[in-house]
Amino acid sequence: MSADAVMQELEALGKERMKKMYVSNGAQEPVFGVATGEMKPMSKKIKRNQPLAEELYATGNYDAMYFAGVIADPKAMTPADFDRWIDAAYFYMLSDFVVAVTLAETEIAQRVADTWIASGEELRMSAGWSCYCWLLGSRKDAEFDPDKLAGMLETVRRTIHDAPERAKFAMNNFLYTVATSYVPLHEQAVAAAQAVGPVAVNKDKPKSKQTIHAYENIQKALEKGQPGFKRKYVRC
């Protein structure tokens, strides 16, 4: 399929209700409002197609950018490509659920994520921490350096309350993910989450202040017997 054909298909699949939901979460025009499940038939036809993914991502259309992540060939992307994608990811649904997810299927994932976490830029940090969550939730524990992850837990414990808003969400999720998916540091992650306590966040809307609490969510997961959880696939 050509990029034009994909765009026409996406536009036809758009629903006003979904569009309003995406916009309420930060999506900007152009956006059609396509439910992710509606993209599956087209993605099965196309499979992996990096040139097409690049064309779609460059449109700036939210649905096209999301679909680009679905059909991208992560192993064909370089650190510079991922930097270009994160530059264009203007809100967290792109940074954390398109760019970070795509990056998590590569061998360069940790190296790129580390630079983003250290950048001090809100969505880069959010994508970096989120990438580690996708990695820890899908790869074998032996693929990670426990000393490095222990250091990252300490970084979260020390800095999360003063981090940029979206980074707070991703860092909080990192505590949860280490505790539930990375067995070697389970106890250390639980202790870090307990020390952090509730984290105040804003959702970029009037009267939208709330708190997030990794420790409480970890306890709920433990009650369900979820420690060591790993997913088979990162992308849908």
Side-chain angles (χ1 to χ4, degrees), residues 48-90:
R48 298 285 179 261
N49 188 322
Q50 187 60 29
L52 179 57
E54 292 288 359
E55 284 190 74
L56 295 173
Y57 198 84
T59 65
N61 175 288
Y62 168 69
D63 304 277
M65 294 173 80
Y66 187 97
F67 188 66
V70 174
I71 65 168
D73 179 1
K75 294 179 181 178
M77 297 179 70
T78 66
D81 292 327
F82 281 107
D83 280 337
R84 180 163 42 78
W85 276 39
I86 196 65
D87 283 341
Y90 61 86

Side-chain angles (χ1 to χ4, degrees), residues 107-115 117 128-129 132 135-136 143-156 174 178 182 185 188:
E107 296 305 312
I108 59 173
Q110 291 191 49
R111 176 156 56 93
V112 174
D114 288 344
T115 65
I117 289 171
W129 287 107
Y132 269 95
L135 289 168
L136 289 163
E143 294 188 33
F144 302 93
D145 178 354
D147 291 336
K148 177 181 180 180
L149 293 181
M152 293 174 72
L153 286 174
E154 177 60 17
T155 296
V156 173
F174 178 80
V178 175
Y182 187 69
L185 292 180
Q188 194 164 332

Side-chain angles (χ1 to χ4, degrees), residues 145-186:
D145 178 354
D147 291 336
K148 177 181 180 180
L149 293 181
M152 293 174 72
L153 286 174
E154 177 60 17
T155 296
V156 173
R157 188 191 66 77
R158 288 187 297 99
T159 66
I160 187 171
H161 291 286
D162 297 317
E165 293 305 302
R166 287 313 318 181
K168 288 179 181 178
F169 283 95
M171 294 165 81
N172 186 77
N173 194 36
F174 178 80
L175 292 175
Y176 173 86
T177 305
V178 175
T180 58
S181 293
Y182 187 69
V183 174
L185 292 180
H186 165 74

